């Protein structure tokens, strides 16, 4: 009796933590398939800059030392590259860390955090973990709708996340729409513009929103080295916003949130503009090629401005997403299931190497032909 009563008492996490479905990363392996093309996490097919690799390796001699907790060299390099004040730049263990810290710092229990219907899953996770309530605004044609978002804003809305371009849809809002969203928000609500894929966008009406983040007291822009810089494994993200936001986050972020090798590789990568340019060119060539080739198979493709495509299955006689996923995996092509984003009929495909792109289209054609896989 005594024993069972004792066994019931244990430390209990806050209930809102247990209500969270943990983020499930893209798969990287298939049992029994030796060679795979991982097209599930929007990583760069070009890999990192050789200069970044060299800088990373040079850090091997200094592994006994703590890194510079303020990541000064990286903030200064970002400042030089984008014309920004280093004091207002925050660096994070991936931009994920910054997205989460913003919710922790700016939401009180019961406050609301708003994002769009198929927005990045880290937003509701961060909002819930901070004790806030996630609020979702409907999208139009898989694109964030400023009107729908503004209609959901109330006195408790304290943070709004907008991924621009959005993951997993690949769609974007023109800068005029982003400014309209900002203009409609109360001054005490923080607008977080997550521009993880900004470098890939080649549209004239797009902007990553540096100017808004530079000039407004309630706008933060987040960026990452995980995509165009090909450094996802090192976990380097950054944000730019008003000084008061940087000050608040700096009080609670872990003191050494970026490792020394991450800081060094990030600085070196910024100095290799040609490598970034090559990644942009690669994407500009293969994104439209994949879009057209896949659409011709009867698979619906959402027009994307990023380095990935959202494919919809189960139409025009083509089998469903689950069957496609299994079929492609068995052929060594790992795509991303996006059922957790409310898109169970879709898979997300990262633009890969030429070999991967040609191969995945062939595999998709075979799948479409059989109708089931
Ligand atoms: C929209 C968006 N934001 C942020 C991230 C997080 O990037 P990281 O934490 O690697 O900087 C991702 C990664 O997939 C993303 O798709």
């Amino acid at each position: 009796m005594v024993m069972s009563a004792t066994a019931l008492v244990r430390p209990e996490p806050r209930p809102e933590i247990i209500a969270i479905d943990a983020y499930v990363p893209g798969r990287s392996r298939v049992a029994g398939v030796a060679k795979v093309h991982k097209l599930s996490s929007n990583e760069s097919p070009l890999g990192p800059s050789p200069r970044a690799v060299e800088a990373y390796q040079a850090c091997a001699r200094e592994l006994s030392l703590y890194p510079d907790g303020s990541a000064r060299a990286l903030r200064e390099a970002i400042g030089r590259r984008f014309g920004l004040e280093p004091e207002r730049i925050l660096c994070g263990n991936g931009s994920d860390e910054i997205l989460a810290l913003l919710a922790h710092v700016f939401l009180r229990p019961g406050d609301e955090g708003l994002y769009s219907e198929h927005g990045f899953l880290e937003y509701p996770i961060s909002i819930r973990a901070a004790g806030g309530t996630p609020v979702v605004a409907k999208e139009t044609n898989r694109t964030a709708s400023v009107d729908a978002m503004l209609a959901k804003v109330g006195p408790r809305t304290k943070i709004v996340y907008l991924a621009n371009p959005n993951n997993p849809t690949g769609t974007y809002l023109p800068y005029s729409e982003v400014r309209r969203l900002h203009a409609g928000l109360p001054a005490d609500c923080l607008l977080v513009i997550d521009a993880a894929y900004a470098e890939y966008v080649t549209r004239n009406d797009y902007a990553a929103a540096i100017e808004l983040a530079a000039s407004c007291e309630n706008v933060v822009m987040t960026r990452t080295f995980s995509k165009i810089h090909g450094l996802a494994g090192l976990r380097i993200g950054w944000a730019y916003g008003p000084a008061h936001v940087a000050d608040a986050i700096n009080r609670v972020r872990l003191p050494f949130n970026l490792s020394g090798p991450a800081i060094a590789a990030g600085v070196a990568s910024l100095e290799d503009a040609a490598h970034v340019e090559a990644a942009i060119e690669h994407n500009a060539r293969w994104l439209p090629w994949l879009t057209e080739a896949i659409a011709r198979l009867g698979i619906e493709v959402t027009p994307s401005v990023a380095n990935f495509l959202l494919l919809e299955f189960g139409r025009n006689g083509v089998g469903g997403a689950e069957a496609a996923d299994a079929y492609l995996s068995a052929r060594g092509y790992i795509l991303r299931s996006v059922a957790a984003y409310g898109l169970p009929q879709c898979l997300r495909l990262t633009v890969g190497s030429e070999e991967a792109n040609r191969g995945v289209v062939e595999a998709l054609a075979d799948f479409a032909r059989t109708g089931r896989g």
Side-chain angles (χ1 to χ4, degrees):
M1 276 299 282
V2 173
M3 271 189 66
S4 64
T6 310
L8 287 175
V9 180
R10 61 177 195 183
E12 291 294 341
R14 287 184 278 126
E16 61 268 29
I17 299 294
I18 295 303
I20 292 173
D21 289 325
Y23 184 82
V24 180
R27 286 178 300 133
S28 50
R29 279 187 197 83
V30 186
V33 180
K35 179 170 176 185
V36 294
H37 293 281
K38 185 182 178 211
L39 304 169
S40 56
S41 299
N42 302 341
E43 293 145 331
S44 173
L46 271 57
S49 154
R51 286 206 220 173
V53 175
E54 206 179 296
Y56 169 82
Q57 284 168 337
C59 292
R61 294 188 292 271
E62 295 172 2
L63 294 182
S64 62
L65 304 177
Y66 279 97
D68 167 18
S70 76
R72 173 180 297 280
L74 183 56
R75 286 185 299 109
E76 286 178 349
I78 294 168
R80 278 195 301 278
R81 165 67 185 78
F82 292 96
L84 303 175
E85 292 172 45
E87 305 72 45
R88 292 169 57 182
I89 296 171
L90 283 164
C91 290
N93 194 260
S95 50
D96 274 349
E97 185 193 23
I98 303 175
L99 295 169
L101 280 170
L102 289 166
H104 278 290
V105 167
F106 288 96
L107 288 180
R108 292 175 176 79
D111 281 348
E112 293 176 359
L114 176 63
Y115 58 99
S116 70
E117 192 179 355
H118 303 301
F120 186 42
L121 272 183
E122 284 294 338
Y123 308 152
I125 292 176
S126 298
I127 293 164
R128 279 187 210 279
T133 305
V135 176
V136 184
K138 279 265 173 230
E139 296 184 357
T140 308
N141 296 330
R142 298 203 174 128
T143 307
S145 155
V146 169
D147 290 326
M149 290 182 90
L150 290 177
K152 294 277 185 178
V153 172
R156 312 201 77 161
T157 315
K158 291 295 181 302
I159 197 163
V160 174
Y161 288 102
L162 176 75
N164 201 28
N166 185 49
N167 170 20
T169 54
T171 55
Y172 79 107
L173 284 186
Y175 194 37
S176 56
E177 280 295 275
V178 177
R179 282 203 305 265
R180 191 163 74 83
L181 174 63
H182 173 252
L185 295 178
D188 66 349
C189 173
L190 186 69
L191 174 59
V192 181
I193 300 168
D194 175 351
Y197 301 95
E199 294 86 350
Y200 295 105
V201 188
T202 55
R203 303 295 174 91
N204 289 335
D205 59 356
Y206 174 82
I210 284 184
E211 171 237 315
L212 265 188
S215 58
C216 304
E217 285 297 301
N218 66 337
V219 180
V220 172
M221 171 198 67
T222 60
R223 304 286 286 263
T224 184
F225 281 72
S226 300
K227 310 297 174 184
I228 201 86
H229 288 273
L231 289 169
L234 277 182
R235 314 302 304 124
I236 314 167
W238 61 279
Y240 195 66
H244 75 94
V245 173
D247 173 65
I249 300 284
N250 276 326
R251 289 167 193 267
V252 296
R253 69 171 174 82
L254 295 180
F256 304 104
N257 58 341
L258 262 76
S259 69
I263 295 169
V267 171
S269 193
L270 282 171
E271 286 164 1
D272 193 351
H275 189 75
V276 170
E277 208 46 53
I280 293 172
E281 274 172 29
H282 178 89
N283 202 64
R285 173 175 176 209
W286 288 103
L287 183 75
W289 186 88
L290 285 166
T291 305
E292 285 155 30
I294 296 170
R296 272 200 297 272
L297 303 175
I299 296 164
E300 304 273 326
V301 185
T302 302
S304 167
V305 295
N307 69 335
F308 55 86
L309 289 164
L310 187 70
L311 314 183
E312 184 167 345
F313 292 84
R315 295 200 193 185
N316 307 317
V318 179
E322 241 179 86
D325 202 13
Y327 183 85
L328 294 168
S329 295
R331 299 257 307 238
Y333 298 97
I334 307 180
L335 276 65
R336 179 76 143 98
S337 160
V338 283
Y341 286 89
L343 296 162
Q345 72 284 31
C346 297
L347 297 176
R348 194 191 64 200
L349 167 71
T350 303
V351 174
S353 65
E354 173 164 1
E355 182 194 356
N357 296 336
R358 291 192 188 281
V360 79
V361 166
E362 233 172 79
L364 281 166
D366 291 346
F367 176 76
R369 205 171 302 124
T370 62
R372 49 180 180 82

